[in-house]
């Protein structure tokens, strides 16, 4: 397992345990995260703030790693975000009230590191699946 993978495991553990005390050990001061709903975020504080948004909307949320591809400096993860939307979810267009619905959202993360810290985190997920599982848009046929 690579150093990058170790850092990623720390990231997922921090989220799942709601313990962001090791943020400075995980992320470079100039880390860039790009996420479909939030766009570009810069710095470790933005990473934690983004996680807190999802933990507010999904207090029981957890990240599950399904598949890992690791070339040493870069790591790709296929995973699931699992939780129940029992809290408000802030969005760029205002706050969404809780739907009470469960979410099992497939995602992919691409991670890069340098000098023992995460420098880049690109998140991929289908926003229509996200909104559909919450009942905010119609689910596609067969979903």
């Amino acid at each position: 397992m690579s150093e990058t993978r170790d850092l990623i495991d720390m990231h997922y553990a921090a989220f799942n345990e709601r313990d962001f005390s090791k943020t400075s050990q995980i992320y470079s001061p100039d880390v860039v995260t790009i996420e479909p709903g939030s766009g570009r975020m810069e710095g470790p504080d933005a990473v934690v703030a983004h996680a807190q948004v999802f933990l507010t909307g999904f207090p029981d949320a957890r990240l599950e790693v399904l598949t890992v591809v690791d070339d040493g400096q870069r790591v790709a993860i296929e995973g699931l975000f699992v939780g129940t939307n029992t809290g408000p979810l802030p969005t760029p267009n205002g706050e969404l009230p809780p739907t009470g619905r469960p979410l099992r959202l497939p995602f992919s993360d691409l991670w890069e590191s340098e000098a023992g810290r995460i420098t880049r985190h690109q998140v991929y997920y289908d926003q229509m699946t996200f909104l559909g599982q919450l009942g905010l848009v119609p689910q596609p046929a067969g979903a």
Side-chain angles (χ1 to χ4, degrees):
M1 187 164 20
S2 70
E3 180 180 53
T4 303
R5 175 66 195 276
D6 290 340
L7 293 166
I8 294 163
D9 287 347
M10 290 172 66
H11 165 85
Y12 291 137
F15 183 91
N16 288 340
E17 297 166 10
R18 283 79 169 136
D19 178 4
F20 298 100
S21 62
K22 296 181 182 176
T23 299
S24 65
Q25 296 171 22
I26 300 171
Y27 311 103
S28 166
D30 58 352
V31 64
V32 172
T33 298
I34 301 170
E35 194 266 354
S38 301
R40 182 183 175 97
M41 298 170 276
E42 297 183 14
D45 291 342
V47 172
V48 173
H50 184 256
Q52 295 291 4
V53 165
F54 279 91
L55 290 171
T56 297
F58 300 86
D60 64 344
R62 68 184 185 285
L63 299 172
E64 298 177 2
V65 174
L66 303 176
T67 306
V68 179
V69 178
D70 185 343
D71 80 357
Q73 185 180 358
R74 291 170 300 191
V75 176
I77 302 284
E78 176 188 26
L80 278 175
F81 176 97
V82 180
T84 307
N85 180 220
T86 58
L89 191 60
T91 75
N93 296 320
E95 189 172 271
L96 295 175
T99 64
R101 289 181 171 228
L103 182 67
R104 292 186 59 80
L105 183 66
F107 69 86
S108 294
D109 282 339
L110 179 61
W111 301 86
E112 294 180 16
S113 73
E114 290 180 24
R117 300 289 182 271
I118 296 293
T119 57
R120 181 174 179 268
H121 177 207
Q122 175 80 47
V123 182
Y124 299 94
Y125 64 86
D126 183 352
Q127 290 181 312
M128 292 303 286
T129 298
F130 175 77
L131 295 171
Q133 286 187 28
L134 295 180
L136 301 172
V137 297
Q139 288 271 69

